[in-house]
Structures are given as structure tokens and as C-alpha cells.
Amino acid sequence: MAEDYKTILVGVDDSQDALAAFRYAIHRARVDEASLIITTILESGEMNVYEALTKDYVHGEREELEEHLKEYVALAEKAGIKSVRAVIGEGDAGETIVKTIIPAVSPDLLVIGAAAKTGIAKHFGSQAAYMAKYAPCSVLVVRD
């Protein structure tokens, strides 16, 4: 039996897989008439110690993410999604989405890309695998 989702969470970054995940999440949200929540994570692992200690640097990075998310929200609204919002988390992407974002927004479905272009996590294992294993909701991993 096919399941209609009410709330879909999609994780985005600047990778092609994340863009593919975003496109699928829009499609699924349209079909199911679901709310769409778009999230991205400010990963401290990408910053060196001096950048992490500089409030202006972190503030600048966060502002860039906010602007990027506004573009995603606009695209989703243009595609006809009626309920769209954006959430920024901070920390390790997989852990933050599973332990902080998901409990806060209670999605039925998490849509994520298979590969991250940036972040220290790309060297130590798959964030997608972590989220698929530990997320308390259904997870769809999209490959470009």
C-alpha cells in the first residue's frame, strides 16, 4: 500500500545528490499535498579553529546558508508547494538532523542525497547511512 506523507523533511547542501533529493522531495510533496521542510547544517567540522572562534566568520557562514535556503524555499513555492519552511542546524549533519531537527519537526519522511560534497564527514563514512540507520522516520536516499 502506498503511503501519503504529511510532512517531508529534505536535507540540502551544494552537492548534486542533494539537488536531486530536493527535486524528489518537491515531487513527493506535490503528489501527497504534504508540507515541505528544507534543512541544511552549518558544520563546524568544515571550519578551522581560527574560523570557529571568529564570530564574524560563523555569522557570515550562517547568513550564506540562510540566503541559500531562501532560494530553495522560493523554488518549492514556485513549484506549487503550499506549506514550505526552512530550518538551519549546527553541528555534524547526520547527528543534527536525526537528534535535533527530526524531533523538532516530526516528519513522516526524510529525503537526503547519497553524497556530501563538503565536510569532514565525507572522509569518515556516509552521513546518509547514519541517517538511514538512526532516523525515527522513513528515509529515502536519492542518488544523482
Side-chain angles (χ1 to χ4, degrees):
M1 177 174 128
E3 183 174 349
D4 285 346
Y5 298 104
K6 292 177 179 56
T7 305
I8 298 170
L9 175 65
V10 60
V12 297
D13 57 22
D14 61 352
S15 71
Q16 287 300 315
D17 283 348
L19 187 56
F22 177 70
R23 285 191 302 260
Y24 178 81
I26 285 177
H27 165 75
R28 186 81 259 156
R30 255 196 325 244
V31 168
D32 293 349
E33 297 180 3
S35 297
L36 181 63
I37 302 166
I38 306 163
T39 190
T40 194
I41 308 300
L42 177 59
E43 294 183 75
S44 55
E46 294 179 11
M47 295 178 232
N48 68 44
V49 68
Y50 300 107
E51 292 168 339
L53 293 173
T54 305
K55 288 182 184 176
D56 289 340
Y57 180 83
V58 174
H59 183 72
E61 286 286 301
R62 188 172 182 89
E63 281 182 350
E64 278 183 42
L65 284 178
E66 287 171 358
E67 288 303 312
H68 199 56
L69 276 180
K70 283 180 188 176
E71 293 171 14
Y72 277 109
V73 168
L75 286 170
E77 289 172 342
K78 187 176 178 182
I81 308 305
K82 292 178 180 85
S83 175
V84 183
R85 66 183 168 123
V87 177
I88 295 178
E90 293 184 28
D92 172 76
E95 255 185 62
T96 301
I97 289 172
V98 169
K99 295 180 179 178
T100 305
I101 307 289
I102 289 175
V105 302
S106 302
D108 322 282
L109 177 66
L110 169 62
V111 181
I112 51 173
K117 183 177 177 182
T118 60
I120 197 165
K122 71 179 178 179
H123 301 292
F124 297 109
S126 171
Q127 294 293 305
Y130 177 88
M131 289 182 270
K133 183 174 181 178
Y134 295 107
C137 61
S138 295
V139 177
L140 178 70
V141 180
V142 177
R143 295 187 185 278
D144 181 38

